[in-house]
Amino acid sequence: MSNAALHQNGDVLAFSGDLVAKNVGGIWKSSIAAAKRAQAATLTIDISGCPVIDTAGATLLLTMERTHGGDMHLQGAETQGTALLAQLRKIIPPPLTRQEEQRAAREAAREARAPTALENLKIRIAFFGETIVALLALPAKLRYLRGSNFAHIADNAGLKALPLVVMLGFLIGMILAFQSAIPMQQFGADLYVADLVALSLFRELGPLLVSVILAGRTGSAFAAELGTMQVNEEIAALTTMGIDPETMLVLPRVAAAVLVMPALVVAMDVSGLIGMGVVLMVFGFPASAIIGQITFAAGPSDFLLGLFKAMVFAAAVAMIGCRSGLTAGNGPRAVGEAATSAVVGGIVATVLLDGLFAVLFYRLGL
Amino acid sequence: MACIIQVDDVAQQFGDRVIFKNVSFTVDEREIFVILGGSGCGKSTLLKQMIGLLPPKAGRISVCGHDVTTETEAVRRNIGVMFQSGALFGSMNLLDNVTLAMAVFTDLPAAARNEIARMKLAMVGLTDAALRLPAEISGGMAKRAAIARALALDPPVLFLDEPSAGLDPITSAGLDELILELRETLGATFVVVTHELQSILAISDRCVMLDREAQGMIAMGKPKDLQAHSDIQMVRAFFNRESV
Ligand SMILES: Nc1ncnc2c1ncn2[C@@H]1O[C@H](COP(=O)(O)OP(=O)(O)OP(=O)(O)O)[C@@H](O)[C@H]1O
Ligand SMILES: [Mg+2]
């Protein structure tokens, strides 16, 4: 396939090569700019060197005409595309509305800041699961991600879950502290409640509870979303467009879930500790003693192990959710079933993985 | 490049239930080929086979010289599909539905993609609805938007599953005109599933009629010829609006 190019011969703008969607991307902006610069009242464009012109090419010519403001004269217009051009000229949509312009500007800004390297870096730092990095590095597949709405998914999975996580964390911290403080008081060991709660939150309860919340909120949402797409033949439509649904739909969801997980776990841990602190302060311990006891009992390694586990849980929950959605049957009932199986599957996987980690960490002496 | 479609002795069954068998035809370049037949006779199923979504139980299909089961990727670079349900991406507005393929497969800048997508939407008469979500438009609009999406990359072959079903006669006639225009301007080949006699007579060069009882094709040819003469009761009934 020949690449399209623009040459300026005096007042004449001459195109060469096929003016088709695959080719005009590289010359779009320069062509529009050239049309804007052109001084003559009539914009003369030579298309004799263009064997094929498709809608994209015709739209480019018409956009050039509009940008120039005057008439357009086409030289060498025996090509197939001129009939198309005439058709399109009749239906030319009005110039962009303000809203659309703002949107286009936003998109242009997003394109301008070279997203791939930056996003790759972010993902590398935040996530050490090798698979996703490897998948993202596959340049052939990377383009499928352009259609996905990563920020939106991450916002839904993360930020919107935060109030629930904080509330649950606080309550669980209080309940744990209260339940254990009473028997431990009998041995005069009630300050050790801080050890107990901090350790169990960091190593077990934090990751586990957040993962269950993720399965209930996000795993089911993924399943319902993709299940609906499956039922509406949207997945089939993507496939026939040549876009891999796994890459475009699953990868960003798994990555979003894994990325928001540490933040959610931190929120859960911190609010749990605060809940415990409140109870212990009611029991008469000063804040400094509680904090001292926590830092003495639980080290950064407990905390980090928890985070690591949580990210693995998140990947599993998200993948199970997406899989249930993509393999949904037909009809509206299938969506409900997919959501149910996503939640059940997510929770079961979380507990199984947790058991596996317990054995693994024990063996490794962690 | 000549882009013809060959369907060679294709069959499909779900479980024990045979939907059709021994279906064979060729669609020439720039032809508008219609698949027609009663509800449930397997038109959509045949279309899904032709676009590589459903491997045929027997026989083979090639599009533009590529086998749909073994060279699916190559086939998909050459086709645009409008599903019977429209199948618009519900989370994206119409403009984004159309720009998606351009964003993935071309290096067009965002402004260019929007401009081209708006042109495609204008082609199907949806200039004003560009920023609406699929949930906010009518069924007929969704079908037209789905056609605009299928046109996104100006593919040489377009598969349309009931483009005019459920549309008012004027919009439906407008769609027929659009299809004829696209054939002229883009040189595209069309495989269209439709029930609308008006539309068949207006656009189709040739058509094939499937039948559920017969489990396969019962007639093929130019619609005018089929209308003028056929030995088969069903065909006569359809083309001349007789009752069977
Ligand atoms: N995935 C499937 N599993 C089982 N049976 C199916 C499946 N898809 C279609 N069928 C059956 O195949 C037959 C043909 O279906 P198809 O959707 O191709 O019909 P159609 O000719 O397009 O009908 P309509 O005009 O109503 O759209 C139907 O009887 C349908 O029940
Ligand atoms: Mg059908």
Side-chain angles (χ1 to χ4, degrees):
Chain A
M1 193 189 283
S2 58
N3 250 321
L6 174 72
H7 321 276
Q8 185 136 21
N9 311 324
D11 275 351
V12 181
L13 297 176
F15 282 107
S16 63
D18 290 345
L19 288 187
V20 296
K22 287 226 185 310
N23 286 351
V24 296
I27 56 167
W28 188 279
K29 283 178 179 156
S30 55
S31 306
I32 306 273
K36 203 169 194 166
R37 275 198 312 272
Q39 301 292 336
T42 307
L43 181 67
T44 312
I45 299 179
D46 183 357
I47 53 168
S48 56
C50 310
V52 183
I53 299 177
D54 74 356
T55 327
T59 307
L60 173 60
L61 295 176
L62 291 171
T63 312
M64 286 171 73
E65 180 181 29
R66 201 186 61 212
T67 319
H68 176 64
D71 288 334
M72 176 168 69
H73 172 65
L74 290 180
Q75 281 181 358
E78 291 88 35
T79 44
Q80 195 189 18
T82 46
L84 175 65
L85 204 63
Q87 283 298 343
L88 294 185
R89 191 189 292 280
K90 280 192 266 176
I91 52 157
I92 231 166
L96 292 176
T97 61
R98 270 195 65 77
Q99 200 184 358
E100 281 169 315
E101 249 169 35
Q102 283 166 358
R103 204 184 82 123
R106 267 204 309 278
E107 269 175 21
R110 200 165 62 205
E111 271 172 12
R113 53 136 248 243
T116 46
L118 196 81
E119 273 154 28
N120 264 344
L121 191 69
K122 267 192 207 160
I123 285 161
R124 265 170 214 275
I125 291 168
F127 179 51
F128 33 108
E130 298 249 324
T131 41
I132 284 187
V133 176
L135 272 173
L136 280 180
L138 276 180
K141 289 194 160 190
L142 207 56
R143 58 190 176 154
Y144 298 134
L145 289 176
R146 283 184 222 164
S148 72
N149 199 344
F150 179 81
H152 179 73
I153 301 169
D155 176 48
N156 259 338
L159 215 55
K160 297 230 165 78
L162 213 52
L164 177 65
V165 167
V166 168
M167 186 190 77
L168 278 185
F170 184 76
L171 290 177
I172 294 284
M174 278 180 75
I175 294 165
L176 271 183
F178 188 72
Q179 294 271 35
S180 45
I182 293 171
M184 281 169 95
Q185 214 168 21
Q186 294 173 349
F187 308 105
D190 36 357
L191 186 57
Y192 291 105
V193 166
D195 299 41
L196 181 104
V197 174
L199 269 181
S200 53
L201 264 180
F202 285 173
R203 294 189 69 119
E204 276 305 321
L205 283 176
L208 204 63
L209 284 173
V210 175
S211 186
V212 169
I213 293 174
L214 196 77
R217 277 190 87 256
T218 308
S220 61
F222 287 173
E225 226 176 322
L226 301 199
T228 309
M229 291 186 74
Q230 160 70 24
V231 170
N232 290 344
E233 295 188 303
E234 289 172 48
I235 304 286
L238 269 183
T239 313
T240 50
M241 282 162 78
I243 299 175
D244 176 20
E246 299 275 339
T247 313
M248 180 177 148
L249 301 172
V250 178
L251 204 56
R253 281 176 172 75
V254 174
V258 170
L259 281 180
V260 300
M261 196 62 168
L264 291 180
V265 172
V266 170
M268 168 72 78
D269 288 351
V270 169
S271 47
L273 292 183
I274 293 174
M276 170 199 72
V278 169
V279 171
L280 287 191
M281 276 154 82
V282 170
F283 276 77
F285 291 99
S288 58
I290 303 168
I291 293 169
Q293 191 64 28
I294 293 171
T295 43
F296 173 73
S301 69
D302 297 309
F303 177 69
L304 290 176
L305 277 180
L307 284 194
F308 173 70
K309 276 191 349 184
M311 288 197 280
V312 177
F313 295 167
V317 165
M319 279 192 253
I320 287 169
C322 292
R323 183 109 313 271
S324 316
L326 286 179
T327 54
N330 292 318
R333 185 181 295 172
V335 177
E337 282 164 6
T340 309
S341 83
V343 177
V344 174
I347 293 175
V348 170
T350 298
V351 175
L352 286 180
L353 281 171
D354 198 29
L356 215 64
F357 275 125
V359 176
L360 190 72
F361 289 167
Y362 173 71
R363 287 270 162 175
L364 293 174
L366 291 170
Chain B
M1 176 188 58
C3 195
I4 60 170
I5 302 166
Q6 282 180 304
V7 175
D8 198 8
D9 207 16
V10 164
Q12 184 62 44
Q13 60 192 60
F14 292 109
D16 290 341
R17 204 152 56 91
V18 177
I19 308 296
F20 52 73
K21 54 189 184 218
N22 305 116
V23 173
S24 302
F25 54 83
T26 306
V27 183
D28 289 325
E29 200 178 2
R30 283 171 161 262
E31 190 173 22
I32 299 179
F33 189 88
V34 164
I35 301 172
L36 59 98
S39 187
C41 68
K43 303 180 296 296
S44 298
T45 305
L46 180 59
L47 207 72
K48 280 184 188 145
Q49 291 182 337
M50 295 172 81
I51 58 179
L53 277 182
L54 196 66
K57 286 277 145 65
R60 64 183 296 271
I61 300 175
S62 72
V63 175
C64 301
H66 304 289
D67 188 286
V68 291
T69 22
T70 55
E71 300 162 282
T72 322
E73 288 283 304
V75 169
R76 288 187 176 144
R77 278 198 292 276
N78 286 300
I79 63 172
V81 183
M82 190 215 103
F83 286 83
Q84 189 168 0
S85 60
L88 293 171
F89 304 127
S91 59
M92 304 179 184
N93 63 29
L94 300 193
L95 198 70
D96 290 337
N97 264 279
V98 181
T99 52
L100 177 65
M102 288 187 258
V104 173
F105 293 108
T106 73
D107 56 355
L108 288 164
R113 295 200 297 265
N114 286 346
E115 207 68 54
I116 297 169
R118 281 158 38 82
M119 193 63 97
K120 310 269 169 181
L121 287 171
M123 285 165 92
V124 295
L126 288 175
T127 311
D128 299 333
L131 295 182
R132 285 201 238 158
L133 288 172
E136 301 165 349
I137 60 175
S138 75
M141 291 164 86
K143 292 222 151 163
R144 287 183 282 147
I147 294 180
R149 187 180 67 182
L151 289 172
L153 293 172
D154 286 335
V157 186
L158 282 151
F159 292 90
L160 310 179
D161 196 347
E162 307 209 7
S164 46
L167 296 190
D168 64 276
I170 295 171
T171 316
S172 158
L175 267 188
D176 291 345
E177 247 166 57
L178 174 74
I179 292 172
L180 289 170
E181 257 168 31
L182 287 172
R183 194 240 312 253
E184 285 316 307
T185 54
L186 299 178
T189 306
F190 285 84
V191 176
V192 184
V193 171
T194 182
H195 292 290
E196 312 284 317
L197 185 57
Q198 283 295 332
S199 161
I200 294 168
L201 293 172
I203 63 169
S204 102
D205 298 309
R206 284 185 309 139
C207 57
V208 62
M209 188 161 179
L210 301 182
D211 185 59
R212 192 162 47 170
E213 302 281 288
Q215 296 183 340
M217 34 196 282
I218 51 171
M220 184 162 72
K222 296 195 166 80
K224 285 262 159 34
D225 295 348
L226 293 178
Q227 188 175 35
H229 170 79
S230 173
D231 294 333
I232 297 156
Q233 169 69 30
M234 274 293 292
V235 179
R236 279 206 305 277
F238 178 81
F239 278 98
N240 297 302
R241 290 281 149 96
E242 290 170 8
S243 55
V244 184

